[in-house]
C-alpha cells in the first residue's frame, strides 16, 4: 500500500530543487500533487514530468498539477489553495517549502532587504498554512504540514534575516502543533479534525541555489558538505524522504518537531576537527 494513496498534497516552491523532489516523492507514493510556484514554466514542466512517471491519483485524471502561487501575496495564496481543492476535492498534506536567502551582510540589510527574505520565508509560510487549514482539518486521519526550515534556524550558519525567519518557522510549527492538535481541538476520538505540524531542517543541499553561482557556488557547497559528519552535501531526494515520512501516517504521533536532515552538520564541529586531524 502506497502511503499517500487517495490523498492530495500542495507543495509550495515545488517546481525546483527540494520542493520538486518532495513533489515527485509524494506522487510516487500515491498522492495527487499540486505544485504551487511563481515560476509557472518550470511548474508546468515539473507537473508534466511527474505525469509521465506516475499514474493518476485517485479521484483525479492526473497525478500532478501546476498552479500559480506567490506566497508573498495573500490573494494568490488563497486562489492556489482553492484551485488545489477544486482539482483534488480535498487537501491532506501541505509542504510549505519556499525560502529566500541572500548574501547581503547584516549591516547592509535595510528594512526592504530584511522583508525580501523574511516575507516569503516566514510570513509566506504562515499565509499558506492559514489558507490551507480549513481543508487540512477535514482530512481523514488528520492533516499534515511539513515546513522546509533550515539548519540556519537552529545554529549560526550566517545570513541573519534568513536564519531568523527560519527560526520563526520552527517555533511556529511548535505553537501550531499545540493549537491544532486533537487534544486542543477536542477531536481525540474523531476521524478527522486535527493537523500535525513538523519541519525538516536541511543542511547544505545540492540545488540551483548553489550551482547557479558556477564554480564558486559548487566549491562552497562542497566545503560546507565537508563540515558535516557525513562529509558531503545532501541531495534533494534525501530531504524529500524525510518530508514524506513526517507527512505520512507513519508519523501519526509526531508533531511539533524539527528534524535536522543535514548529514550531521548541526551536531557541531567535532567531525570536521577529527577529519582534519586524520587527513
Ligand atoms: N539548498 C539548500 O542548501 C537549502 C538548505 C537549507 C534549507 N533550504 C530551504 O529549502 C527550500 C527549497 O530550497 P531549494 O534549494 O530547493 O531552492 P530552489 O531555488 O531550487 O527552489 C525554490 C522554489 O521556490 C519557488 N519560489 C521562490 N519564491 C517563491 C514565492 N514567492 N512563491 C512561490 N514560490 C516561490 C521557486 O520558483 C523555486 O521553484 C527553501 O525554503 C530553502 O530555504 C535549502
Amino acid at each position: 500500500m502506497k502511503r499517500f494513496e487517495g490523498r492530495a498534497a500542495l507543495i509550495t516552491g515545488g517546481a525546483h530543487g527540494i520542493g520538486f523532489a518532495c513533489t515527485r516523492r509524494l506522487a510516487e507514493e500515491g498522492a495527487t500533487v499540486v505544485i504551487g510556484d511563481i515560476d509557472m514554466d518550470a511548474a508546468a514542466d515539473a507537473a508534466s514530468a511527474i505525469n509521465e512517471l506516475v499514474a493518476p491519483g485517485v479521484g483525479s485524471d492526473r497525478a500532478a498539477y501546476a498552479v500559480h502561487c506567490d506566497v508573498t501575496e495573500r490573494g494568490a495564496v488563497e486562489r492556489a489553495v482553492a484551485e488545489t481543492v477544486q482539482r483534488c476535492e480535498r487537501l491532506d498534506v501541505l509542504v510549505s517549502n519556499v525560502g529566500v536567502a541572500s548574501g547581503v551582510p547584516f549591516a547592509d540589510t535595510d528594512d526592504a532587504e530584511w522583508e525580501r527574505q523574511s516575507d516569503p520565508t516566514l510570513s509566506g509560510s504562515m499565509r499558506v498554512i492559514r489558507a490551507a487549514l480549513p481543508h487540512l482539518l477535514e482530512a481523514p486521519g488528520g492533516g499534515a504540514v511539513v515546513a522546509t526550515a533550515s539548519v540556519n534556524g537552529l545554529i549560526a550558519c550566517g545570513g541573519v534575516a534568513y536564519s531568523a525567519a527560519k527560526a520563526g518557522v520552527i517555533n511556529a510549527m511548535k505553537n501550531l502543533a499545540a493549537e491544532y492538535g486533537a487534544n486542543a481541538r477536542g477531536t481525540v476520538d474523531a476521524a478527522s479534525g486535527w493537523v500535525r505540524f513538523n519541519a525538516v531542517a536541511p543542511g547544505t543541499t545540492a540545488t540551483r541555489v548553489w550551482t547557479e553561482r558556477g564554480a564558486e557556488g559548487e566549491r562552497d557547497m562542497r566545503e560546507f558538505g565537508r563540515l558535516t559528519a557525513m562529509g558531503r552535501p545532501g541531495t534533494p531526494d534525501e530531504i524529500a524522504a524525510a518530508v514524506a515520512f513526517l507527512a505520512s501516517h507513519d508519523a501519526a504521533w509526531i508533531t511539533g518537531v524539527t528534524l535536522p536532515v543535514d548529514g550531521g552538520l548541526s551536531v557541531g564541529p567535532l567531525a570536521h576537527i577529527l577529519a582534519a586531524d586524520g587527513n
Side-chain angles (χ1 to χ4, degrees), residues 53-82:
L53 263 180
V54 181
V58 170
S60 172
D61 61 351
R62 281 187 260 169
Y65 296 90
V67 303
H68 177 261
C69 177
D70 182 346
V71 300
T72 65
E73 283 183 35
R74 184 165 60 90
V77 166
E78 288 172 355
R79 283 191 296 278
V81 169

Side-chain angles (χ1 to χ4, degrees), residues 100-110 113-115 117-119 121-122 150-168:
V100 173
S102 86
V104 176
F106 178 69
D108 301 328
T109 303
D110 58 14
E113 178 56 31
W114 186 275
E115 280 300 301
Q117 297 176 63
S118 71
D119 187 74
T121 307
L122 176 55
S150 171
V151 283
N152 286 60
L154 297 171
I155 59 173
C157 291
V160 177
Y162 171 77
S163 300
K166 289 295 191 187

Side-chain angles (χ1 to χ4, degrees), residues 12-20 35-40 42-43 69-73 96-101 120-121 148-152 162 166 200-210 212 221 236 239:
T12 60
H16 291 278
I18 291 170
F20 177 61
I35 298 165
D37 208 288
I38 45 171
D39 185 345
M40 275 310 280
C69 177
D70 182 346
V71 300
T72 65
E73 283 183 35
S96 175
N97 169 68
V98 174
V100 173
T121 307
T148 312
S150 171
V151 283
N152 286 60
Y162 171 77
K166 289 295 191 187
V200 292
T204 307
T205 307
T207 70
R208 64 180 187 165
V209 301
W210 299 97
E212 71 189 1
M221 183 177 82
I239 311 303

Side-chain angles (χ1 to χ4, degrees), residues 115-201:
E115 280 300 301
R116 203 179 71 73
Q117 297 176 63
S118 71
D119 187 74
T121 307
L122 176 55
S123 307
S125 270
M126 299 308 116
R127 278 183 204 105
V128 179
I129 290 168
R130 212 180 293 119
L133 251 175
H135 308 288
L136 294 169
L137 283 166
E138 289 176 7
V145 173
V146 183
T148 312
S150 171
V151 283
N152 286 60
L154 297 171
I155 59 173
C157 291
V160 177
Y162 171 77
S163 300
K166 289 295 191 187
V169 168
I170 287 168
N171 187 275
M173 293 304 110
K174 293 182 211 264
N175 275 285
L176 289 167
E179 276 194 43
Y180 291 94
N183 204 6
R185 302 281 307 174
T187 53
V188 173
D189 298 317
S192 62
W194 68 90
V195 181
R196 295 181 300 104
F197 287 86
N198 294 297
V200 292

